[in-house]
Amino acid sequence: MSRNSSTPTVPSASGALRNFKMEVANELGISNYDQIDKGQLSSRQNGYVGGNMTKKMVAFAEQALAQGQTGAINSASSTISGQGGQSRQG
């Protein structure tokens, strides 16, 4: 059973993810992203927001791993796995 990709794996993180999305959109010059009709934006603009969020999250995880902070990475991984985090196949 596939999971809706817009639903956070960890529901308590949804507020922080929303704030993060707004910060990234502002950095990209898209103000009031939370109030904009996303259908009026190009796929490229919407993709930039999600893509830059992913880049920043990966960079954060890489930095944590480089500094030996594997505890946070491991606990996040086990939380996702424990909630039915199956690999998605198309």
Side-chain angles (χ1 to χ4, degrees):
M1 176 191 246
S2 68
R3 183 177 78 78
N4 181 348
S5 63
S6 65
T7 304
T9 303
V10 181
S12 61
S14 64
L17 286 171
R18 184 187 162 288
N19 290 339
F20 183 46
K21 185 185 302 182
M22 297 311 119
E23 286 178 27
V24 170
N26 282 329
E27 288 175 7
L28 296 171
I30 306 172
S31 59
N32 298 325
Y33 188 74
D34 56 339
Q35 298 172 354
I36 294 174
D37 177 7
K38 307 310 182 283
Q40 297 299 313
L41 295 175
S42 69
S43 296
R44 183 172 295 232
Q45 288 172 304
N46 281 313
Y48 280 148
V49 174
N52 279 293
M53 287 176 67
T54 302
K55 283 182 190 177
K56 288 182 176 225
M57 287 187 270
V58 168
F60 176 80
E62 287 175 342
Q63 182 179 9
L65 289 171
Q67 294 175 354
Q69 299 172 356
T70 58
I73 304 296
N74 290 336
S75 68
S77 176
S78 65
T79 300
I80 293 168
S81 297
Q83 294 185 5
Q86 300 173 351
S87 64
R88 295 172 63 176
Q89 297 179 353

